Amino acid sequence: MNQDMSESTTQNNISTREVLEEKILLQQELLRRRNLPINLYTPASDPERNQLAFHTSQARFRLALGGNQSGKSVCTSYEIAAYAIGEHRFRKIPSGPKEIYAISAEYRTLHRGLWRHLRPDAADHKGIGFLSKERIKRIGPTVPGPVPIPAFVEVYSGQRRVNGEWPVSTITFISGEGGESARRKVQAAAIDIAVLDEEIDDTMSLEVKMRLLTTNGDLISSASLIRGELWLLDLEDEFDAGSKKVFIVRLNSEHNPYISQEARDDLLKGLSDEDRAVRVLGQSRRRFGLVYNKFNPAVNTYDPSEITIQNDWPRFSAFDPGYRVFAGLWVALDPTTGSMYVYREMYERESDLDTVANFISNAEGFDLKEIHARLFRRQPRPGVTVENPERLIDPAAARHLETGEPGILTQLAGVYGICCAPAVNAVDPGINAVRRLLAPNETGHSALRISTDCINTLKEIRGYKIARDKTKNDSNERLDAPVRRNNHACDCLRYLAARLMHLSPKRGQPYRTATPGRYATSMQYKYLDTLKLLGDKTVCHETLGSEW
């Protein structure tokens, strides 16, 4: 009996020891997990460097705008890891595995930024290591290039298996280099979250947003706004206007406790006020590289409900033809004050010439009546005040094509009776003329003001920048020429300014305008003669027009 009791006691002691050992192992595992970098991470709550507010915000678009070494990449790296493993300590996120894009300006910045803080061996690379080894299922092949960065990383998501398998999130690393080829990298299936480190261009950002449409996914960006890409400035404007979809936190580099005082002094040494605002305080350089960097809506725009354009005021219009965008602007001149008002814009995208001609005619109070096969005459619309502006057009539109097809100028006049004169297309004098007309005068406004209804024109002005010279070693050096992209309305402004600068209307005296009707008729006869000469070679398509 004593022997049985002794054996029972021994067995109980063994069971108790096993339970204790299991508890100890469990405590050790909990302690190990508690000490993982992703759980030890404590975001700053300093008002000048409020990383915590960034993580807790429920906005769909979150921007961490900071200076150099301000901790913005740490914020976005945490977001990638938290979404990938399905455990976010500061906000509620959807359950299940995620498709995540991690995008930066180039692979070098990805390697030094997001990947440095995500990789499990981050301690060897002065990073944090938000992804632990046991969380990583597979690290994809290294992207060809000078820096070792994987094409993707697969991460186990959640706390339990689903149908016997662990859910897996995928983090795909993408470089923004390459223009069109970079845009094609993000042309794939829908994604759940996109994290953009540093500035990428407007075209690629639009493609990324399209990938988020079906999932209603989040877009997170960390950047120093050195270039001031338009899409980031638009989000900044939305935030300033009180939009709940956008949240912005600015991270001040001077408040980073991990930067020594000596390093801070070196950082600030020699910086201009503008550079300090961008590179230290995280503010945007809204006017960096802008052609019209002094454009001020309070000075250069007007509310159409406050200004009445009189019927007897001289009118001018200018057009910039193009397949992607055919742009046009109309200006009215107040002969008593010399003030000029851009009161209408045309921004036809991928439209045929019939659509453009109808827009112009209807806007000026005319209907197009077909008087011959594919030839039209403008007839005044009953009860509507007609406009007969002096029209200008890109002089390139006056040239015949290599195939013999008449240019847009000839087709507008010959087919539709809309006569235009070739504009002065000297770029620098045109830009200087616009700048002079936009300069504030004694009234507190500019001589040329743009209606707030001309939204495409105003948007172009905000993004009309000097082109970078990519042939130079320093990518920040710029050419003294504007970027030839999204500049259609700005070209129209140049044509108008070059013409309007030469006008000096005498105050109180009417301004004589030309009546182009007789000229339009003669142009149509000449156009018919041209068609007769071309004879059987003519092929006319109802949408694309004629080609020879």
Side-chain angles (χ1 to χ4, degrees):
M1 181 175 180
N2 290 335
Q3 184 178 354
D4 293 340
M5 291 181 62
S6 176
E7 290 178 357
S8 176
T9 302
T10 302
Q11 291 176 355
N12 290 336
N13 290 337
I14 292 173
S15 299
T16 303
R17 189 183 307 115
E18 289 175 346
V19 171
L20 289 174
E21 288 176 351
E22 187 176 347
K23 288 183 176 180
I24 290 171
L25 290 174
L26 181 60
Q27 290 296 326
Q28 289 175 341
E29 176 61 19
L30 290 174
L31 182 62
R32 187 192 68 82
R33 294 188 182 186
R34 191 178 300 122
N35 289 327
L36 288 175
I38 195 167
N39 294 322
L40 289 178
Y41 170 61
T42 304
S45 56
D46 183 340
E48 293 291 327
R49 190 170 168 270
N50 200 341
Q51 295 170 312
L52 182 61
F54 174 80
H55 292 305
T56 56
S57 169
Q58 298 298 313
R60 186 177 170 222
F61 300 98
R62 286 181 286 158
L63 276 61
L65 305 181
N68 301 88
Q69 302 298 315
S70 61
K72 57 187 184 295
S73 293
V74 174
C75 287
T76 47
S77 298
Y78 173 84
E79 291 292 327
I80 292 174
Y83 272 81
I85 68 174
E87 299 175 15
H88 200 299
R89 292 164 47 208
F90 308 106
R91 77 195 301 259
K92 185 177 180 180
I93 61 174
S95 59
K98 309 290 189 300
E99 288 292 332
I100 302 170
Y101 278 177
I103 305 172
S104 190
E106 53 189 53
Y107 283 120
R108 178 182 58 83
T109 52
L110 274 171
H111 178 262
R112 295 181 180 180
L114 299 178
W115 179 234
R116 178 167 67 96
H117 294 302
L118 288 171
R119 59 193 305 168
D121 59 345
D124 300 332
H125 301 272
K126 298 182 180 179
I128 293 179
F130 284 125
L131 293 177
S132 58
K133 289 182 179 180
E134 63 269 18
R135 277 288 187 179
I136 294 178
K137 177 185 179 182
R138 181 162 67 111
I139 295 180
T142 301
V143 174
V147 293
I149 185 169
F152 63 87
V153 176
E154 293 179 347
V155 180
Y156 291 115
S157 176
Q159 294 293 339
R160 58 176 59 90
R161 298 175 187 269
V162 177
N163 297 326
E165 297 289 337
W166 281 103
V168 176
S169 296
T170 303
I171 305 168
T172 304
F173 296 97
I174 299 174
S175 165
E177 288 182 298
E180 178 62 19
S181 62
R183 185 187 67 81
R184 288 198 295 267
K185 294 176 188 176
V186 298
Q187 283 186 316
I191 59 175
D192 299 290
I193 177 173
V195 176
L196 315 179
D197 189 41
E198 299 304 343
E199 294 180 281
I200 63 173
D201 64 32
D202 296 333
T203 303
M204 193 165 186
S205 69
L206 177 60
E207 198 66 49
V208 170
K209 290 178 183 177
M210 297 302 292
R211 301 305 110 209
L212 296 167
L213 274 180
T214 56
T215 62
N216 198 33
D218 290 353
L219 187 147
I220 296 172
S221 178
S222 57
S224 299
L225 298 184
I226 305 299
R227 297 197 308 268
E229 293 290 348
L230 192 58
W231 71 274
L232 284 168
L233 298 183
D234 286 342
L235 288 177
E236 192 176 31
D237 287 344
E238 284 190 51
F239 175 71
D240 292 341
S243 172
K244 294 182 179 180
K245 295 188 301 182
V246 183
F247 179 80
I248 295 178
V249 62
R250 303 187 192 277
L251 307 178
N252 188 339
S253 299
E254 293 181 285
H255 286 249
N256 187 342
Y258 302 104
I259 300 179
S260 66
Q261 186 60 48
E262 181 180 358
R264 291 178 195 172
D265 294 340
D266 290 340
L267 179 66
L268 297 173
K269 190 182 301 182
L271 288 181
S272 65
D273 290 341
E274 183 181 22
D275 282 334
R276 180 178 180 274
V278 174
R279 296 185 178 274
V280 178
L281 304 180
Q283 297 177 6
S284 64
R285 188 176 293 183
R286 289 174 181 262
R287 297 174 180 177
F288 179 74
L290 291 180
V291 174
Y292 304 121
N293 58 353
K294 295 182 180 179
F295 186 85
N296 183 350
V299 174
N300 304 125
T301 65
Y302 74 94
D303 186 338
S305 65
E306 298 175 358
I307 301 292
T308 301
I309 306 296
Q310 301 299 321
N311 294 334
D312 60 345
W313 287 4
R315 315 278 177 123
F316 304 83
S317 60
F319 303 97
D320 186 59
Y323 173 69
R324 291 188 181 277
V325 175
F326 197 127
L329 294 178
W330 281 259
V331 175
L333 170 66
D334 183 350
T336 61
T337 65
S339 297
M340 308 166 198
Y341 301 94
V342 179
Y343 64 93
R344 180 189 297 131
E345 73 172 7
M346 177 182 71
Y347 215 79
E348 289 291 335
R349 301 178 187 273
E350 301 181 359
S351 298
D352 55 64
L353 203 55
D354 276 353
T355 303
V356 171
N358 273 292
F359 184 103
I360 296 172
S361 297
N362 292 336
E364 295 176 356
F366 293 89
D367 291 321
L368 288 178
K369 181 182 179 181
E370 191 168 14
I371 58 174
H372 189 71
R374 295 293 301 157
L375 288 181
F376 300 86
R377 176 171 294 165
R378 285 155 50 97
Q379 291 188 337
R381 192 180 305 122
V384 177
T385 302
V386 299
E387 302 174 10
N388 281 304
E390 178 182 327
R391 302 186 197 91
L392 306 169
I393 197 168
D394 181 356
R399 296 197 296 262
H400 278 52
L401 303 181
E402 293 181 359
T403 55
E405 181 182 5
I408 297 296
L409 183 149
T410 305
Q411 292 191 51
L412 281 175
V415 177
Y416 307 100
I418 301 173
C419 297
C420 304
V424 175
N425 194 24
V427 177
D428 288 343
I431 287 175
N432 288 328
V434 175
R435 286 173 174 168
R436 289 172 62 184
L437 292 177
L438 292 178
N441 53 31
E442 65 276 3
T443 67
H445 297 290
S446 54
L448 177 68
R449 296 166 68 186
I450 303 171
S451 168
T452 53
D453 286 344
C454 299
I455 55 176
N456 293 295
T457 304
L458 297 176
K459 185 174 182 178
E460 277 195 13
I461 288 174
R462 291 183 59 228
Y464 195 41
K465 293 189 175 185
I466 302 297
R468 283 192 295 172
D469 184 359
K470 296 183 179 179
T471 64
K472 297 184 178 180
N473 292 329
D474 184 355
S475 61
N476 290 322
E477 292 187 54
R478 293 175 178 265
L479 290 171
D480 292 331
V483 177
R484 298 186 65 182
R485 178 167 57 90
N486 298 330
N487 63 340
H488 314 283
C490 287
D491 283 349
C492 294
L493 269 182
R494 284 196 294 108
Y495 306 152
L496 288 167
R499 175 70 178 95
L500 296 172
M501 283 298 297
H502 301 292
L503 295 180
S504 299
K506 296 181 180 180
R507 296 179 181 234
Q509 295 185 8
Y511 184 89
R512 189 170 65 87
T513 57
T515 302
R518 184 175 299 175
Y519 178 68
T521 303
S522 66
M523 282 293 294
Q524 288 188 314
Y525 283 125
K526 290 180 180 179
Y527 187 76
L528 281 173
D529 292 340
T530 302
L531 294 181
K532 289 177 182 178
L533 289 174
L534 290 169
D536 296 336
K537 297 179 181 179
T538 303
V539 178
C540 187
H541 189 280
E542 61 179 3
T543 301
L544 299 178
S546 54
E547 58 180 346
W548 289 269

